[in-house]
């Protein structure tokens, strides 16, 4: 097991244990859902401003291939610190894909923009076709608080 620690404002805020090659909560996934795991951390040995990273893993537990997209933001003490767009294509059943993003500062809250016309839950890809609204449930998992959940 690897131990990833992240610091916010110079204080260690939490420690997260991850099994190699898997996300922490995917084992409890339900058939027919997509699990989006978002982990915010600082790379070891780097300052928060230089080593801030956001790891996003999208896992498909539906019986069909899917494409997922979503507009996300992190918030720190009520102020938006980062915004990014996660997009994937053709994740097969029982498959997953991973993205790594840089961030400005560690946030204390994660938010999915559910009003975006370009992402979940308004639009997604199912078996290669754009579908609106998305027919699958997406479960958000993170090591920071999730707002609007």
């Amino acid at each position: 097991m690897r131990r990833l620690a992240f610091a916010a404002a110079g204080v260690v805020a939490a420690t997260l244990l991850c099994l190699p090659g898997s996300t922490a909560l995917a084992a409890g996934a339900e058939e027919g859902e997509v699990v989006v795991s978002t982990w915010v951390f600082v790379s070891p040995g780097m300052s928060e401003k230089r080593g801030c990273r956001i790891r996003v893993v999208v896992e498909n537990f539906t019986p069909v291939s899917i494409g997922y997209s979503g507009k996300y933001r992190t918030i720190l003490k009520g102020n938006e610190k980062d915004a990014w767009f996660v997009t994937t294509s053709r994740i097969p059943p029982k498959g997953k894909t991973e993205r790594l993003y840089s961030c400005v500062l560690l946030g204390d809250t994660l938010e999915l923009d559910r009003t975006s016309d370009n992402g979940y839950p308004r639009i997604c890809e199912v078996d290669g076709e754009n579908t609106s609204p998305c027919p699958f449930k997406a479960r958000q998992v993170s090591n920071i608080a999730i707002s609007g959940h």
Side-chain angles (χ1 to χ4, degrees):
M1 288 201 252
R2 296 183 314 172
R3 189 169 281 234
L4 301 176
F6 68 95
V11 177
V12 174
T15 300
L16 173 68
L17 294 175
C18 291
L19 296 173
S22 69
T23 57
L25 298 177
E30 297 175 13
E31 182 69 29
E33 78 177 353
V34 172
V35 177
V36 182
S37 302
T38 307
W39 309 116
V40 182
F41 63 96
V42 173
S43 295
M46 299 184 81
S47 69
E48 184 176 353
K49 287 189 176 189
R50 293 193 55 158
C52 186
R53 299 291 182 264
I54 301 166
R55 177 179 176 241
V56 180
V57 179
V58 181
E59 294 178 272
N60 180 10
F61 293 96
T62 72
V64 296
S65 68
I66 60 102
Y68 176 87
S69 58
K71 183 179 175 185
Y72 289 86
R73 63 181 59 91
T74 55
I75 299 164
L76 178 62
K77 297 180 183 177
N79 296 313
E80 182 178 303
K81 289 299 170 188
D82 284 291
W84 71 99
F85 195 75
V86 174
T87 184
T88 68
S89 181
R90 302 208 181 203
I91 302 171
K94 307 277 189 253
K96 68 180 178 180
T97 191
E98 183 174 331
R99 302 284 188 262
L100 185 65
Y101 301 90
S102 294
C103 46
V104 176
L105 289 172
L106 293 174
D108 54 25
T109 306
L110 173 71
E111 180 179 277
L112 168 64
D113 182 354
R114 294 181 178 277
T115 64
S116 173
D117 290 330
N118 298 313
Y120 184 86
R122 297 209 175 182
I123 192 166
C124 60
E125 178 188 303
V126 177
D127 272 340
E129 300 289 325
N130 284 338
T131 304
S132 181
C134 289
F136 55 77
K137 174 185 169 189
R139 181 164 44 110
Q140 307 291 321
V141 177
S142 183
N143 65 337
I144 60 175
I146 301 172
S147 71
H149 195 67

